[in-house]
Amino acid sequence: MTFNSHLFRPKLLDCLQGYNRQRLGQDIGAGLTVGVVALPLAMAFAIASGLKPEAGLFTAIIAGFLISALGGSRVQIGGPAGAFIVIVYGIVERYGLANLILATAMSGVLLFLMGLFRLGSLIRFIPVAVVIGFTNGIAVLIMLSQIKDLLGLQIVSMPADFFGILNALGHHLHSANLAALLLALASLSLVVGWLRMSRRLAETPYRALSMIPGSIIALVFATLVTWLLNLPVDTIGSKFGGIPAALPSFQWPAFSWDSARFLLMPTLTLALLGAIESLLCARIADGMIGDRHNPNQELMAQGVANFVTPFFGGMPATGTIARTVTNIKSGGTTPISGMVHALTLLAVVLVAAPLAGHVPLAALAAILMFVAWNMGEWREFLHLRQYRMPYRITLLAVFFLTVVFDLTVAVEVGLVAACLTFIYRISSLSRCEAVSRLDHPSLAGHDHAIQAWRLYGALFFGAVKLVEDIEDKISTPVLVVDLKNVIYIDSSGADALMNLIDTCRKKEVQLIVCGLLHQPLDIARRSGLLEHLEGRLAPDLPAGIQRAVSLAAGPDQ
């Protein structure tokens, strides 16, 4: 038995052909830059998810390396993402850390199977309204969850649900820490200000300075101010005891099967969210570098990364837009830059871990606030009036359900709503019209003997009423039905046509079906409908009407 190399072929293998020292230098420079960008984000995402900061770092190291080495994109950077914060926090709160490991590993298996069975392209069929709705909803929840550290509130355990968060914030508002608030506002101002300044620096001889991320500037500033002034604010050291300066070890979770059985929907949500985020990021990267990624290979790489990482203290991972864009703008050309980014973070953990203990949580909260704001597509709310009502309802429903209830529920309802909207739209495009003697003069003089109908669109379960309406209007000895403009028939449509044949037989009406071609002809053959139409078929409408005229003139003609 031979293995098909095209089934699992990382992009790295293709990129190594013709690889030279110049491209290696570009990839190393880009990888170092992305590693610096990923450092504060990885810790912030982990803390916001209810985990220790090293969980984010280990994820960026292990998953980031695997996604780049095995993925289907040249420049995509993998790691922890803001989109996972809400769902991960909910899993940890309800089921515990052990079951988060299990859910993440199971989502990795699902992602790998999705890629193995070539389902990568199907992710593109998820409607934009659903994606925007839950993306904006997640952004709101991230910002809401960071108010605690932004204000320095003394809340021991933050609830996972929307109303619980509001209740906890309201009851502990009196414990706000002015030093934490000022530090957070200063950090946020630095991030925003540096972003604007870097755009100006990019057009000057000091272009290299523009590559330094604002999050690092803010993080270094806040850490130095906290340490020098000995500010009374929570830090990574005071909250989590710092970050271990060692490689993560394998850990087998002592999970409970009683709680694991409830993980099916969270697992599906993790897999679906990871696939959407990853492939959306890869498509954006394609547009920037003029390449085309392999979506199925990317999903398999995501699957491997999410299966391996949680057993080494990590969290769910996916492709990340901000770090991928940074990689491209820094000159990264191959997956090696992503691998260098992971190794850079590994070096930071091994060498500079003790310094992370002085990082204030208020600064990380400010950075996450900035990330969440840029993550949302807020202008879409202003443009809603340009779209039809079903689009508006779907987007707003998914947004509302994501914020108030649960991301899993939001995705389920959003997909159902999108499917129903699609069915309605397609059924409304299908229509039936009577053929008059103005269209076919040969019908003149036979109005009381021949009825002719022409169907358009798709004859599926949402449009079978068109055939039922024809049944109700039968009033002549001969009936002609033209299916030339029907592009698709499903089993319900075939069953409706079978009922029409039975109705005509009972009413002793001669039925002629015209223009049965392509997929409609194939489904008619496979469903047995073609056998019942034997002797009733005509190649096109003119031939069908000519035959109908002969039948109307007399049974012997």
Side-chain angles (χ1 to χ4, degrees), residues 229-260:
L229 300 182
N230 195 24
L231 295 179
V233 298
D234 288 334
T235 63
I236 288 180
S238 65
K239 187 76 173 179
F240 303 102
I243 295 175
L247 292 173
S249 57
F250 180 84
Q251 52 181 328
W252 182 257
F255 56 83
S256 168
W257 287 108
D258 290 335
S259 57

Side-chain angles (χ1 to χ4, degrees), residues 395-406:
L395 192 153
L396 292 175
V398 173
F399 173 76
F400 176 78
L401 291 171
T402 300
V403 173
V404 177
F405 291 99
D406 184 75

